[in-house]
Amino acid sequence: MKLAIIGSIVLLFTLSAGAGTFLVDFDNGKLDEWKELLMGDALPGSWEIVDGELHAVSPNGWTRLLTIGDETWRDYTIEFDVKPLDNRGPSNIVVAARIKGSWFVWCLIGDLPFVDNISEVQFAAGNLQDPNTFLFSHSKRQRFLKLNEWSKLKLDVKENILNFWINGRQFIGPIQLPDRHSFLRFDALRKEHAAEQGRELPALQLNGLQDFLTGAAGLGLSNQTARFDNVVITGDSIPDRHTFSVTPRAKLATMWGSLKRF
């Protein structure tokens, strides 16, 4: 049975590589192509490779992303393993797509304040430098990620449709991504609501906003420490780049280890 499963993994590896596959297991100890994207005035977080895994620390409530790819990436799926190690209060784990500058779409698993052992899955789109721009939708509330246990997150973007899974179970989507007109309508509604309360709001700064149809991918967190591993990004616009361990045996062992977690 094990040989059959390993054979299936090899076949899956071969077929997905033909579509364009970016694979990272962090065993080479390098983060050369990754870039940090910060929320607001946040100071840089800590990103280092420990025991062949990405060890990430976001010391406060600012969300910090580590991104890969460029603005030409179009339709793709990004998935990875994540293991929260500790949090310091309300926190989140993030998977992001279609990143252009500081504009992007993301799915996050965030703790609800003042409620023990409960979190919420959210979809959002906006500018990481201006939280006022965020357009949100919400999903079910339960405990999605457990401390010191691995989970697998998967996000798929095809044209203007997004889907999101946790451990093989879909929680968001299919959902249509917003466009520039969505933000203009949102801006008009928020200013109208403020006017009804006798307040005046400045217009949202939408500089650099385009429709969320292309852009880089990323992972991130806020107010906690976590480990990330086995990043797999596939799609026709994705360059083939396999930064798994050098030997085929090590690659199989890494992928087999990831499979055994579930």
Side-chain angles (χ1 to χ4, degrees):
M1 176 62 74
K2 182 181 291 187
L3 289 177
I5 294 176
I6 292 177
S8 299
I9 295 174
V10 174
L11 178 61
L12 177 62
F13 181 92
T14 303
L15 293 176
S16 62
T21 307
F22 191 98
L23 307 172
V24 183
D25 71 354
F26 302 110
D27 282 358
N28 65 5
K30 298 180 180 179
L31 293 172
D32 296 344
E33 297 182 89
W34 296 82
K35 299 178 181 178
E36 187 175 38
L37 180 60
L38 299 173
M39 174 180 278
D41 297 325
L43 296 174
S46 173
W47 309 89
E48 60 178 333
I49 296 175
V50 178
D51 298 328
E53 300 165 354
L54 175 62
H55 185 86
V57 181
S58 182
N60 52 37
W62 294 110
T63 297
R64 295 162 170 86
L65 294 177
L66 203 61
T67 70
I68 192 76
D70 59 47
E71 295 185 357
T72 67
W73 287 15
R74 190 171 180 87
D75 296 340
Y76 54 83
T77 298
I78 173 174
E79 53 187 307
F80 55 81
D81 300 334
V82 61
K83 179 170 66 173
L85 299 180
D86 69 72
N87 55 31
R88 304 163 186 84
S91 58
N92 64 50
I93 296 289
V94 174
V95 53
R98 302 281 175 78
I99 303 169
K100 280 189 174 182
S102 54
W103 289 92
F104 69 118
V105 298
W106 59 352
C107 289
L108 62 89
I109 304 167
D111 294 328
L112 294 176
F114 313 118
V115 183
D116 292 336
N117 298 319
I118 296 294
S119 56
E120 183 174 47
V121 177
Q122 299 180 338
F123 161 80
N127 187 336
L128 197 64
Q129 298 298 316
D130 183 6
N132 291 322
T133 62
F134 289 164
L135 300 179
F136 281 100
S137 70
H138 304 269
S139 186
K140 297 179 180 179
R141 298 178 176 184
Q142 64 183 62
R143 193 61 182 173
F144 296 100
L145 305 180
K146 296 181 180 180
L147 292 180
N148 300 305
E149 292 188 14
W150 287 100
S151 295
K152 183 176 289 293
L153 307 186
K154 177 181 176 181
L155 184 152
D156 178 81
V157 280
K158 294 290 191 298
E159 297 184 353
N160 68 335
I161 300 299
L162 177 144
N163 293 278
F164 178 64
W165 297 261
I166 303 172
N167 294 330
R169 180 182 174 189
Q170 186 166 359
F171 283 93
I172 292 180
I175 186 172
Q176 184 171 324
L177 302 180
D179 55 20
R180 188 175 185 86
H181 295 293
S182 304
F183 284 90
L184 291 174
R185 289 194 298 270
F186 170 64
D187 191 27
L189 288 173
R190 62 189 284 273
K191 288 189 291 186
E192 179 181 339
H193 180 67
E196 292 174 353
Q197 297 178 331
R199 299 182 297 116
E200 183 175 349
L201 292 178
L204 290 179
Q205 296 300 312
L206 302 180
N207 297 333
L209 171 64
Q210 302 179 36
D211 292 351
F212 296 99
L213 296 179
T214 62
L219 51 83
L221 71 173
S222 76
N223 207 34
Q224 64 180 297
T225 300
R227 292 283 182 97
F228 298 88
D229 203 3
N230 301 323
V231 179
V232 181
I233 307 173
T234 57
D236 290 341
S237 63
I238 305 303
D240 282 322
R241 198 163 305 163
H242 307 152
T243 57
F244 275 92
S245 306
V246 175
T247 66
R249 179 174 297 179
K251 288 180 182 179
L252 282 177
T254 299
M255 298 182 79
W256 175 245
S258 178
L259 181 64
K260 288 194 297 182
R261 292 172 185 163
F262 309 101

